[in-house]
Amino acid sequence: MYKILIVDDEMVFRRGIRAMLQKSDFCIGQISEAVDGCEAMRLLEQGDFDIVITDIRMPRMDGLMLCKSIREKGMRPGIVVLSGYDDFKYAQAAIKYGVSDYVLKPVSRTKLIEVLKEVVRKREESGIHLKYSKMDGLVTGLAEALWNQDKEAWQRTGKEARDSLSGMGSRSGNEILKEIILNTADKISDRMGERLPADAFEEHDFEENLEILWEMASNRKRHGLLETVREHLLANPAMSQEELCSLLGFSSSHFSSAFKEKTGKKFVDYRTEIRMEAARRQLCIPSKTVTQVAAEVGYNDYSHFSSVFKKFYGKTPAQFREGRGLSL
């Protein structure tokens, strides 16, 4: 089952190609669309595609620059360039970026499917492609073993990955093994709610990366998202959820759901706990006023700060300080 990305700024053209593919006997697992090269790169960085079908003339990033960017990023999809007659020589220039084929518009369904089947055949014969279903199965198996802390299954699936690529050239096989590691890291990151750094795997072979990923994810899973968030909030109690999400690489909605799932707490409630801990410590510093403390832990409204503090400690901030012989 192949994942295909269609890139063109004309919706009618994209939908036409999609319809051709859906009505064919080509083995399709997923079809995605992008309006230009910039959106295409974003989708390619989020997930793997087996084939990219792209127009040449597009705003922001054209087809030629897209082909260049794909190869510079080390991505290995088959690329089919579709061009009008006037752009044909321009399309030919994309060959240096590893384009699999280029076809003149308008293209018939028969011609398109013929080209795609040839792209797949060449990729599989050259040993640079592992079928999507097999790749996905290996990545899922590794992620499940890591999540369940099943070292035996982890090692067994790692061996299966190596064996699956035993007939390929060393360079192509190593590239696919690196891709398996990165995809597994992405999948386990999604489950933990915390990104694992991809550059940790850059200079190691597959066996070393298996161990690095196991240790890295196991440690993060043990300590959890709670400790990571706690460290940031203790350093800056006034930090907003948006600022924290930016640091951790999450969308706000994803972070909220991941935090609740992992900790059983709403982020806003946990942040309030940390803020009150910080306020209690800072109120013991004679040189700080209550208003200053409120602002430093994220409260611009003194009355609200006082109300929340009393809910936690049974006293207002002023009463807390008076009990310790401190002025307001």
Side-chain angles (χ1 to χ4, degrees):
M1 303 290 282
Y2 298 104
K3 295 176 66 178
I4 299 175
L5 177 60
I6 304 168
V7 191
D8 196 287
D9 58 322
E10 295 183 15
M11 184 177 70
V12 172
F13 178 79
R14 296 197 308 271
R15 296 300 162 83
I17 295 296
R18 176 187 283 271
M20 288 183 187
L21 294 173
Q22 291 173 332
K23 293 176 182 177
S24 72
D25 61 351
F26 196 66
C27 191
I28 299 171
Q30 176 184 324
I31 301 175
S32 299
E33 299 178 20
V35 299
D36 57 28
C38 292
E39 184 179 4
M41 285 305 300
R42 180 177 60 80
L43 293 173
L44 286 162
E45 288 170 352
Q46 290 176 353
D48 297 315
F49 287 87
D50 298 292
I51 298 173
V52 175
I53 303 171
T54 182
D55 187 26
I56 281 290
R57 291 182 182 268
M58 295 180 292
R60 296 202 300 172
M61 181 189 290
D62 64 21
L64 190 59
M65 287 305 299
L66 171 60
C67 295
K68 181 180 179 182
S69 297
I70 287 173
R71 295 316 181 205
E72 287 179 345
K73 291 282 187 179
M75 300 172 181
R76 302 301 298 254
I79 304 174
V80 176
V81 173
L82 302 182
S83 71
Y85 180 79
D86 292 339
D87 296 323
F88 198 59
K89 288 185 178 179
Y90 185 52
Q92 287 179 304
I95 291 296
K96 65 182 178 181
Y97 299 125
V99 170
S100 304
D101 209 335
Y102 51 91
V103 185
L104 277 173
K105 290 182 179 179
V107 60
S108 68
R109 183 173 68 188
T110 301
K111 178 62 175 177
L112 178 63
I113 300 307
E114 176 186 313
V115 167
L116 295 184
K117 288 182 176 179
E118 183 64 11
V119 169
V120 169
R121 185 189 67 78
K122 287 180 179 178
R123 280 164 58 78
E124 292 184 346
E125 284 185 357
S126 65
I128 63 170
H129 178 69
L130 188 64
K131 286 188 176 180
Y132 172 73
S133 58
K134 181 65 175 177
M135 173 80 83
D136 187 60
L138 291 169
V139 170
T140 299
L142 285 169
E144 286 298 317
L146 182 49
W147 184 257
N148 296 324
Q149 292 292 281
D150 186 340
K151 194 64 177 283
E152 183 179 344
W154 174 257
Q155 293 171 338
R156 183 175 63 251
T157 308
K159 182 178 184 302
E160 183 182 350
R162 288 190 298 271
D163 292 346
S164 297
L165 302 169
S166 60
M168 296 187 181
S170 59
R171 182 176 179 180
S172 297
N174 288 337
E175 287 176 353
I176 294 174
L177 288 172
K178 177 68 69 64
E179 189 176 347
I180 289 172
I181 288 290
L182 292 175
N183 288 347
T184 303
D186 282 344
K187 191 176 284 285
I188 202 68
S189 292
D190 289 340
R191 294 189 70 171
M192 290 193 303
E194 183 178 356
R195 288 288 105 190
L196 297 176
D199 56 5
F201 313 109
E202 287 300 322
E203 299 179 358
H204 306 281
D205 62 25
F206 182 65
E207 283 72 18
E208 291 172 329
N209 279 332
L210 279 175
E211 289 303 315
I212 291 170
L213 180 53
W214 176 271
E215 291 301 321
M216 185 187 299
S218 296
N219 288 336
R220 299 285 182 95
K221 191 168 182 290
R222 280 196 297 271
H223 296 305
L225 184 61
L226 189 67
E227 276 303 310
T228 304
V229 171
R230 181 178 176 82
E231 288 177 7
H232 284 294
L233 290 179
L234 286 175
N236 180 13
M239 181 178 289
S240 68
Q241 180 169 328
E242 289 70 26
E243 291 171 326
L244 183 60
C245 288
S246 178
L247 283 172
L248 299 179
F250 289 105
S251 68
S252 185
S253 59
H254 184 190
F255 172 77
S256 294
S257 60
F259 190 85
K260 180 68 181 296
E261 180 183 352
K262 297 294 293 178
T263 67
K265 298 182 178 183
K266 292 182 179 179
F267 170 72
V268 291
D269 294 336
Y270 182 70
R271 182 179 61 185
T272 300
E273 293 176 15
I274 297 298
R275 286 179 169 180
M276 290 301 103
E277 288 179 24
R280 194 171 188 272
R281 290 193 300 272
Q282 293 187 43
L283 286 169
C284 294
I285 300 174
S287 60
K288 290 189 175 183
T289 66
V290 175
T291 303
Q292 286 175 329
V293 171
E296 288 176 10
V297 298
Y299 292 89
N300 295 321
D301 184 335
Y302 172 78
S303 297
H304 180 50
F305 169 65
S306 181
S307 175
V308 174
F309 189 90
K310 185 174 182 179
K311 182 178 177 181
F312 268 75
Y313 299 113
K315 298 178 181 180
T316 65
Q319 291 169 338
F320 177 81
R321 295 197 72 161
E322 287 174 1
R324 282 161 174 73
L326 300 172
S327 64
L328 299 182

